[in-house]
Amino acid sequence: MEQPDTSGTAALGPSPDKTGLGAAEAAKRLSQDGRNELPQERQRTTARIVLDALREPMLQLLLGAGVIYLFLGDLAEAVILLLAAVMSIALVVVQESRTEKALSALKDLSSPTAEVFRDGMRRRLPAREIVAGDVVVLVEGDRVPADGLLIEATTLEVDESLLTGESLPVRKNVGGADVTDARPGGDDTPLVWSGSLIVRGTGLARITATGLRTEIGRIGKSLNVVESAPTPLQIQTRRLVRVFAVLGLTASVLLAVFHGLRYGEWIKGVLAGITMAMATLPEEFPLVLTVFLVLGAWRMSQKKVLTRRSAAIEALGAVTVLCTDKTGTLTANRMRVSALVVAGEHWSVPDRAGTDLPERFHTLVEFAILASRPDPFDPMERAFHDLGAQFLKQTEHLHPDGVLRHGYPLHPSLLAMSQVWQMGGTAAGVVAVKGAPEAVADLCHLSPGQIIPLREAVAALASQGLRVLAVAQATWSDAVLPETQHGFDFRFVGLVGLSDPLRPEVPAAVMACIQGGVRVVMITGDHPATAAMIATQAGIPSVTVLTGAEMEGLDEAALRTRLATTNVFARIMPEQKLRVVQAFASMGEVVAMTGDGVNDAPSLKAAHIGVAMGGRGTDVARESASLVLLDDNFASLVTAIRLGRRIDDNLRKAIGYILAVHVPIAGMSLLPVLVGWPMVLGPVHVVFLELVIDPVSSIVFEAEGEEAGIMARPPRPPNAPLFDAALLLRGLLQGGVVFLAVLGSFWLGLHDAQGEQVARCMAFVTLVVGNLGLVLTNRSITTSAFKVLTRPNRALILVVIFTLTALALAIGVPWLRELFGFAPLEPWHMAQAVSFALACILVNDLSGVIWRRLAGTGVVSRP
């Protein structure tokens, strides 16, 4: 078969297949069908994205709180809240741009140029100008520019892993296969697909589909219709801030009206209402969430995990199902020689250097290399060369001075290829052949008695998930070479088993997930036997394997039934992978999906958390994912889940603290007005407290370390609200204890000669110190407040120093004391106020011990 010319533009022979389209016809089809590219949707402007973001209730509340503080003259607090709002808008802008970036990345996967035949001439054109009917030249190392049907092929092998997930290249041949409803994957088909990579040989293909009509275009189109699932954080936060905003503002209005009607002092009533609003308005919630997500993203980046969708960080703590691709995710996405067999003797190739290759296997490795190209592109041939470099370096079995005289390519009728070498300037030739075991056995004319043990050896290697090749050798001294490989007198050498090796860190990572209650599911386009073996090696429980063909016959109910017991899915097409992810989500699971290929993009986007590979992954996968593993290390995903659980714990601690600390503030703003006592708290007191509460609830709790055994417990239930009854009750109880302590301190101070001002100062000291006590009580969900004192937290130390210093200034500086409405405290006054605060710390810590014991028995849930 004549091989296509690859040297520029040249006139062609009379073959009609190589004539190609005329320039006029090509221009007509280009006008009708459009360019060979994915149509770029009209991008939303930044202004439009910002306007859409402003509709979010959480952001509206954050901006509203900032405006209120501006109105009250508290510039520092207002600036902090408004900066948080700007940060939130920036995160939304990044998130809303992901789909457009994914479509652009899909366009870049195709070759920017391609060689085609136009008017009988061979020309290189931009790939976007290719049309259906064009004849394109396919050469090793190029990407296929559009879907096509082969009209010529010489030892053509194509890597379709971006579309199918299969780790090995597939053979391509002209004719001989039914192309009706053909899809990527499988050997000896005559179809090539846009975006796939030519790894061996050459060919010609007539284009059948371009642009959006290609297989890769169909995947790109699906990105437009697949919506990212909102995370539990987004859903619950919106509900949370609405409820507290309505309750707080309603209570504030009612209090102002009540005070005005009962006492006739409307100005004081308005002041009381403003104080109540400031005491109850939950502006800390959006601020805390913003800080937690931003700092959480930074912490994950330190662990080689890039966060693209910040809201997914918290959802990591609730992940229940991890759907992982095999190729390039669990495996290294590179071929490796794993086993050698010579004369019935097996030798497993070690993962690390230090072991010598037994002498009897030297010839097998030598001739496997001689049967490969000197500078290979094919991953299997590279594996042979790597093995020789590891074990045969500086031996006579490597032949850098050999001259390749001739090669016999792979053919559908004989799945073996041979190469004839001339060594050391001699006329004698050495012939090496590698290929399918049955083909090499035929070339060696093995007897039935020799074939039986050969088949057993092949079956043993295949059961390990290995791809098996046979190697044979021959010599040739005649000047004229035979026409076919059958003309040589081959002698069988042995078998080689190749694998796409499991990443060494994967088993430990999978075990950590399973121990943490995260179900690991493998979804791959590879063969079921290979998938089952990789799952076994990785430690994924796999009793049965569900194939794509079997899935086609299942309705949604039957699929969900199979999902309950199946952890390995093989021969899965992209739309089926998406269907699995969506089925898990419909069952109430929080789904994380890992992947690196184009075929993973829709499922990455549909999952609650899409995790792409940063090194080997495609741009499409990265742009469609929520998280990107920068080092392609599966173990980094376990680290991300661990960090997600830590963030989840600390977020709940912060929310519990916020709820608790607002109880005494709201109580002391409301009760004195209702019973006719002097006002205890005014706006200035609440602003002081907020300057403490904001950094504590955000920075301090975010910096808390992880709880012991964080990966030895199940994830937070997917349907468990962020603000559940247990957290509500515990926060109210803690806050109620501090409220009683502050109330007792105030009542005691009212009996002093200076009355109101001493009482207000004592109550405020108790409230501030009690606030710090609430921080200690909520720092851990598993141990005592006093035990966590030894746990380092620099942010907490700074906050305590700042708070106590500010409190001392407010009491000791005359003009500040007058501003706060305080009187100087005698030592016994101070001791009484601090004693009330210490008492509430002890009571809350004791209640925490009782609560944890009740939670251990199942009477109450974990706060």
Side-chain angles (χ1 to χ4, degrees):
M1 180 183 299
E2 178 186 351
Q3 297 212 10
D5 180 14
T6 58
S7 56
T9 301
L12 296 171
S15 171
D17 283 341
K18 294 184 179 180
T19 302
L21 296 175
E25 178 63 21
K28 178 181 177 182
R29 296 188 183 188
L30 184 63
S31 176
Q32 292 175 344
D33 299 338
R35 293 182 180 273
N36 178 37
E37 58 187 6
L38 296 181
Q40 184 68 44
E41 300 292 335
R42 184 167 58 89
Q43 295 187 354
R44 298 166 63 199
T45 64
T46 302
R48 182 62 186 175
I49 294 176
V50 170
L51 288 176
D52 290 342
L54 290 174
R55 298 176 182 176
E56 288 289 330
M58 185 176 74
L59 192 59
Q60 291 176 354
L61 184 60
L62 194 63
L63 291 171
V67 171
I68 289 175
Y69 279 108
L70 278 177
F71 177 76
L72 294 173
D74 186 357
L75 183 60
E77 188 76 10
V79 168
I80 291 174
L81 295 176
L82 294 177
L83 284 177
V86 172
M87 188 181 301
S88 297
I89 293 174
L91 291 175
V92 171
V93 170
V94 172
Q95 178 179 341
E96 294 296 328
S97 301
R98 289 186 301 120
T99 297
E100 288 80 1
K101 292 180 180 179
L103 291 173
S104 298
L106 270 171
K107 292 169 62 178
D108 293 339
L109 271 178
S110 298
S111 298
T113 62
E115 285 190 291
V116 303
F117 291 103
R118 290 282 175 89
D119 294 319
M121 303 291 292
R122 183 167 173 170
R123 300 175 180 174
R124 181 167 290 276
L125 300 175
R128 62 179 178 272
E129 296 182 9
I130 291 176
V131 297
D134 267 329
V135 175
V136 300
V137 178
L138 305 175
V139 297
E140 189 173 294
D142 281 352
R143 287 200 179 273
V144 180
D147 292 357
L149 179 67
L150 288 173
I151 56 178
E152 283 188 11
T154 303
T155 63
L156 190 65
E157 293 187 13
V158 183
D159 179 359
E160 296 179 349
S161 61
L162 294 183
L163 292 167
T164 67
E166 292 194 43
S167 58
L168 297 175
V170 294
R171 297 187 303 272
K172 295 293 180 179
N173 286 297
V174 178
D178 183 9
V179 297
T180 304
D181 296 327
R183 302 296 299 275
D187 288 321
D188 299 322
T189 65
L191 297 173
V192 290
W193 308 94
S194 177
S196 55
L197 179 67
I198 307 299
V199 298
R200 176 193 291 278
T202 58
L204 298 178
R206 189 176 301 279
I207 299 303
T208 57
T210 61
L212 202 60
R213 291 170 292 280
T214 62
E215 185 74 8
I216 197 174
R218 185 181 60 80
I219 296 175
K221 184 179 180 181
S222 70
L223 290 178
N224 285 332
V225 298
V226 176
E227 294 295 333
S228 297
T231 67
L233 175 66
Q234 292 174 311
I235 297 172
Q236 295 167 21
T237 299
R238 293 171 185 173
R239 185 185 306 121
L240 183 67
V241 295
R242 287 195 189 104
V243 170
F244 273 84
V246 170
L247 291 178
L249 293 176
T250 301
S252 302
V253 173
L254 292 177
L255 180 62
V257 172
F258 172 82
H259 191 281
L261 291 176
R262 181 169 181 176
Y263 303 108
E265 298 177 344
W266 288 97
I267 295 179
K268 288 187 176 181
V270 172
L271 183 60
I274 292 175
T275 303
M276 185 68 179
M278 294 176 62
T280 57
L281 192 66
E283 81 279 357
E284 294 94 355
F285 286 133
L287 178 62
V288 163
L289 293 172
T290 300
V291 171
F292 267 65
L293 295 180
V294 171
L295 292 183
W298 176 79
R299 291 187 188 279
M300 287 195 174
S301 70
Q302 303 303 300
K303 302 296 183 180
K304 305 297 184 182
V305 179
L306 176 65
T307 304
R308 295 190 49 79
R309 184 182 171 200
S310 57
I313 294 176
E314 182 271 342
L316 279 169
V319 168
T320 59
V321 175
L322 171 55
C323 297
T324 175
D325 188 30
K326 179 186 74 68
T327 305
T329 307
L330 295 178
T331 65
N333 199 23
R334 59 178 176 82
M335 296 304 297
R336 172 182 175 273
V337 178
S338 297
L340 302 174
V341 179
V342 173
E345 182 177 343
H346 291 245
W347 191 70
S348 297
V349 179
D351 294 333
R352 299 179 180 177
T355 302
D356 293 332
L357 177 67
E359 181 66 31
R360 68 181 310 168
F361 295 99
H362 285 196
T363 301
L364 175 59
V365 177
E366 174 186 6
F367 278 85
I369 296 172
L370 291 175
S372 306
R373 296 190 178 189
D375 186 17
F377 189 82
D378 179 85
M380 288 187 295
E381 294 188 343
R382 289 204 304 266
F384 294 142
H385 280 269
D386 291 342
L387 187 65
Q390 180 179 355
F391 291 108
L392 300 181
K393 192 175 182 180
Q394 296 179 347
T395 70
E396 72 278 7
H397 295 285
L398 294 183
H399 306 280
D401 58 343
V403 178
L404 180 60
R405 288 188 56 193
H406 187 69
Y408 293 86
L410 207 68
H411 192 273
S413 61
L414 182 62
L415 300 180
M417 61 172 294
S418 300
Q419 297 196 141
V420 182
W421 294 83
Q422 185 176 348
M423 302 299 184
T426 64
V430 175
V431 188
V433 61
K434 72 176 189 299
E438 61 274 15
V440 176
D442 180 45
L443 288 174
C444 295
H445 307 292
L446 298 184
S447 66
Q450 294 172 310
I451 290 179
I452 291 175
L454 174 64
R455 288 177 176 172
E456 293 175 350
V458 171
L461 294 175
S463 67
Q464 301 174 33
L466 304 180
R467 178 163 184 175
V468 185
L469 295 180
V471 177
Q473 67 177 62
T475 58
W476 188 258
S477 57
D478 293 348
V480 180
L481 293 170
E483 293 184 3
T484 68
Q485 300 176 72
H486 285 283
F488 296 105
D489 184 16
F490 283 110
R491 180 172 61 86
F492 193 84
V493 177
L495 299 174
V496 180
L498 297 107
S499 66
D500 182 6
L502 191 74
R503 292 178 180 270
E505 67 275 3
V506 165
V510 171
M511 180 59 65
C513 288
I514 294 175
Q515 290 176 343
V518 179
R519 181 180 172 189
V520 181
V521 174
M522 185 173 74
I523 306 176
T524 179
D526 226 329
H527 190 277
T530 304
M533 180 54 60
I534 292 295
T536 300
Q537 294 175 357
I540 300 174
S542 56
V543 178
T544 60
V545 178
L546 181 62
T547 66
E550 294 172 331
M551 188 185 299
E552 289 181 356
L554 301 177
D555 59 18
E556 294 306 314
L559 177 60
R560 285 194 291 268
T561 301
R562 292 295 299 272
L563 289 181
T565 58
T566 303
N567 292 327
V568 179
F569 298 80
R571 292 297 192 203
I572 299 297
M573 298 302 295
E575 64 274 11
Q576 294 173 326
K577 185 176 296 188
L578 174 61
R579 185 184 175 195
V580 170
V581 171
Q582 292 175 330
F584 272 124
S586 69
M587 295 166 62
E589 306 285 359
V590 176
V591 183
M593 169 70 194
T594 70
D596 61 355
V598 173
N599 61 313
D600 297 322
S603 51
L604 286 173
K605 186 178 180 184
H608 294 96
I609 306 167
V611 185
M613 299 296 147
R616 297 180 184 273
T618 62
D619 289 340
V620 184
R622 286 191 288 268
E623 297 296 339
S624 299
S626 305
L627 303 176
V628 178
L629 303 184
L630 298 178
D631 58 357
D632 285 5
N633 192 335
F634 185 80
S636 296
L637 182 55
V638 179
T639 301
I641 292 176
R642 181 186 294 273
L643 283 172
R645 291 191 177 191
R646 168 185 166 178
I647 292 170
D648 182 72
D649 283 348
N650 290 343
L651 185 58
R652 290 171 61 82
K653 295 174 190 177
I655 291 178
Y657 162 77
I658 292 172
L659 177 63
V661 78
H662 277 80
V663 171
I665 298 175
M668 295 307 294
S669 299
L670 176 64
L671 185 63
V673 176
L674 295 180
V675 300
W677 288 353
M679 289 183 60
V680 178
L681 300 178
V684 65
H685 304 96
V686 177
V687 168
F688 180 98
L689 292 170
E690 291 295 335
L691 289 176
V692 177
I693 294 171
D694 285 354
V696 167
S697 60
S698 54
I699 305 298
V700 172
F701 279 108
E702 194 283 330
E704 278 296 318
E706 67 180 43
E707 297 288 342
I710 194 170
M711 288 300 293
R713 68 175 192 236
R716 177 167 56 85
N719 57 351
L722 185 66
F723 193 67
D724 57 14
L727 190 64
L728 172 65
L729 179 59
R730 190 162 186 257
L732 289 175
L733 290 176
Q734 288 182 347
V737 170
V738 177
F739 169 64
L740 292 177
V742 174
L743 186 63
S745 181
F746 181 71
W747 181 84
L748 188 64
L750 285 177
H751 293 78
D752 188 85
Q754 299 187 49
E756 176 183 336
Q757 292 184 329
V758 169
R760 182 179 294 113
C761 189
M762 289 179 61
F764 193 73
V765 169
T766 302
L767 182 56
V768 171
V769 178
N771 175 18
L772 297 178
L774 287 175
V775 177
L776 296 179
T777 305
N778 285 279
R779 283 187 67 192
S780 176
I781 59 177
T782 61
T783 189
S784 167
F786 296 99
K787 289 184 179 179
V788 298
L789 285 173
T790 59
R791 182 187 297 176
N793 189 322
R794 294 182 180 178
L796 176 59
I797 294 175
L798 293 176
V799 168
V800 170
I801 293 174
F802 166 79
T803 302
L804 296 181
T805 301
L807 180 61
L809 292 174
I811 297 174
V813 178
W815 68 271
L816 286 176
R817 189 167 58 234
E818 181 179 353
L819 176 65
F820 279 83
F822 293 160
L825 293 183
E826 299 295 337
W828 59 85
H829 290 147
M830 182 65 71
Q832 289 172 339
V834 173
S835 296
F836 274 106
L838 293 177
C840 71
I841 295 175
L842 291 172
V843 172
N844 278 331
D845 189 57
L846 179 60
S847 67
V849 173
I850 298 173
W851 191 283
R852 285 189 290 273
R853 290 183 178 178
L854 292 176
T857 61
V859 177
V860 297
S861 61
R862 181 176 67 88

